[in-house]
Amino acid sequence: MTTRHALSPALERLHLVWDLLIIVLVVANLSLLLVDALFLLDPLNAGFERIAPGLHQAYDQRIHANFIAIDLMFVAVFVVDVLLGWAVAIIERRYHRWFFYPFVHWYDVLGCIPVGGFRLLRVLRVISLLQRLHRLGLIDVRQWRLYAFFAKYYDILLEELSDRIALRLLGNIQQQVQASDSLSGRVIEEVVMPRKQALIHEITRRLEDMAGSAYQRNRGDLMRYVSALVGRTLENSPEIQRLRRLPMGRQLSAALDDTLSDIACRLVEEAANGLRSPEFEHLLERVADSGLDAWLKVDSHSDAVTEKVLVDMLEVLKEQVQRQRWKDRYD
């Protein structure tokens, strides 16, 4: 809502002077309201008249008799302050929309209403003054004990309220899950099945990427393993052992080992390259389709298990939310 732009120090000080002037007028106005309210009390009125009859008469004739007119003069200044502040906020583009000002400064707007309860809202102008002083670096409200006191209990209150709301929400979800006749069936029919082909395609793509990337990262080790496997197989073959006993047998055996290892490595290479082929993709899609159908099969047992898992998960979340973490922060 607020899009405050940085103001020059001169403009900030001008705002500060104006706020101080309004604060002085607010104090004077509220003091006048208090004095006039006490003046209306008969015991205090009579005592005031006995102690200072001349001052009592002057106050009665000049201030109390014209109290409404005097208060309206203060109200006029406060109305001008609101309109001027609104205009300045529009010029400075302080808020996202021009009409946000009266909602943000609602206490100033309501304070202009000449009714007892609304007049007290003028005191809230002190908050904006403190905020400006803090922004200018003239004060640091975060170092005040009063600020720390209110910040602490505001944080506690906010956490307790949010936790109560979260617990109520999680409890309602648990009731809805337990009241559902076939939650798993509804999830499958309304959520999974309309996206089945997209899920199959995504599973296929991820399997292809996983297989391809795994092969590229481990290609050297895989080729060495295949060559070693072929070598061990030939080494343990009785036919190869008899061949080695023949003249030139060892050369033939070594050539056969190299040839078979090369053939095996080429087969692995071709198989790895075939992972990107349309045929392999169709094969993976059929496998994923069959596996997904088996996974999505729902009966009374699977529905009960799903419901139990969801309810227990929500219960764990409720236990976590119930923990009053503010006690750890403020111990």
Side-chain angles (χ1 to χ4, degrees):
M1 192 177 202
T2 302
T3 56
R4 178 174 290 278
H5 299 278
L7 300 178
S8 65
L11 283 177
E12 284 282 9
R13 289 185 175 85
L14 182 61
H15 284 304
L16 177 60
V17 170
W18 179 256
D19 283 341
L20 287 172
L21 176 61
I22 295 299
I23 290 298
V24 171
L25 292 177
V26 167
V27 172
N29 181 230
L30 294 179
S31 300
L32 180 62
L33 290 171
L34 178 61
V35 171
D36 198 70
L38 296 176
F39 187 80
L40 294 175
L41 298 176
D42 292 336
L44 295 178
N45 192 320
F48 182 29
E49 186 176 8
R50 284 195 304 269
I51 296 172
L55 185 58
H56 177 277
Q57 183 179 4
Y59 180 83
D60 188 26
Q61 293 177 354
R62 297 181 182 179
I63 298 180
H64 181 68
N66 302 307
F67 177 78
I68 295 179
I70 296 172
D71 187 61
L72 289 178
M73 291 173 61
F74 281 103
V75 170
V77 175
F78 297 145
V79 170
V80 171
D81 169 59
V82 171
L83 295 177
L84 184 61
W86 196 349
V88 171
I90 293 174
I91 294 172
E92 295 176 355
R93 296 182 179 179
R94 195 178 305 168
Y95 304 106
H96 188 63
R97 291 289 185 268
W98 65 271
F99 54 84
F100 283 180
Y101 182 87
F103 297 100
V104 177
H105 298 265
W106 56 271
Y107 46 88
D108 287 338
V109 176
L110 295 180
C112 294
I113 301 175
V115 179
F118 290 122
R119 289 190 183 106
L120 296 177
L121 293 174
R122 299 168 190 172
V123 180
L124 296 179
R125 185 62 178 265
V126 176
I127 297 177
S128 61
L129 175 63
L130 293 176
Q131 182 184 9
R132 191 176 300 279
L133 291 171
H134 179 80
R135 190 166 59 250
L136 289 173
L138 300 177
I139 62 173
D140 188 359
V141 298
R142 293 170 298 185
Q143 302 298 324
W144 295 1
R145 290 189 177 183
L146 184 64
Y147 175 84
F149 175 81
F150 281 107
K152 172 184 175 179
Y153 287 101
Y154 174 78
D155 183 38
I156 293 174
L157 176 63
L158 199 62
E159 181 176 327
E160 288 293 331
L161 287 176
S162 61
D163 286 350
R164 299 289 80 75
I165 294 172
L167 288 173
R168 183 67 178 271
L169 179 61
L170 292 173
N172 289 337
I173 295 176
Q174 281 182 317
Q175 293 176 3
Q176 293 294 329
V177 170
Q178 292 171 338
S180 176
D181 295 334
S182 180
L183 180 64
S184 300
R186 287 194 59 192
V187 170
I188 292 172
E189 292 297 328
E190 300 178 13
V191 178
V192 178
M193 292 306 294
R195 300 167 179 83
K196 180 180 177 182
Q197 292 303 318
L199 289 172
I200 291 174
H201 178 73
E202 184 65 18
I203 292 172
T204 302
R205 186 184 65 83
R206 287 178 180 268
L207 288 174
E208 288 179 343
D209 292 341
M210 182 180 65
S213 61
Y215 173 74
Q216 292 299 328
R217 286 195 304 268
N218 303 284
R219 182 176 182 277
D221 293 338
L222 184 61
M223 293 304 177
R224 284 190 293 272
Y225 173 77
V226 171
S227 298
L229 182 63
V230 172
R232 288 196 302 271
T233 302
L234 294 178
E235 186 71 24
N236 297 326
S237 174
E239 290 79 7
I240 298 298
Q241 292 177 359
R242 287 194 295 269
L243 178 62
R244 287 177 179 176
R245 289 193 290 269
L246 298 175
M248 302 294 291
R250 291 192 175 275
Q251 290 83 352
L252 291 174
S253 174
L256 184 61
D257 187 358
D258 293 339
T259 302
L260 291 178
S261 296
D262 184 64
I263 292 173
C265 290
R266 287 179 179 275
L267 286 174
V268 173
E269 184 77 22
E270 289 295 327
N273 293 331
L275 296 178
R276 298 288 182 179
S277 65
E279 293 81 5
F280 184 74
E281 182 177 354
H282 294 325
L283 175 62
L284 278 182
E285 286 184 353
R286 288 195 297 272
V287 172
D289 191 5
S290 301
L292 192 62
D293 286 339
W295 181 70
L296 295 179
K297 184 179 179 181
V298 178
D299 52 26
S300 58
H301 177 71
S302 62
D303 194 59
V305 170
T306 303
E307 178 184 313
K308 180 63 176 174
V309 169
L310 289 175
V311 171
D312 289 347
M313 287 175 59
L314 292 171
E315 192 64 32
V316 170
L317 289 176
K318 287 171 65 176
E319 292 177 0
Q320 185 67 24
V321 171
Q322 282 178 331
R323 181 187 174 190
Q324 295 175 314
R325 292 183 297 274
W326 59 265
K327 290 184 178 179
D328 299 331
R329 294 196 300 270
Y330 296 113
D331 277 346

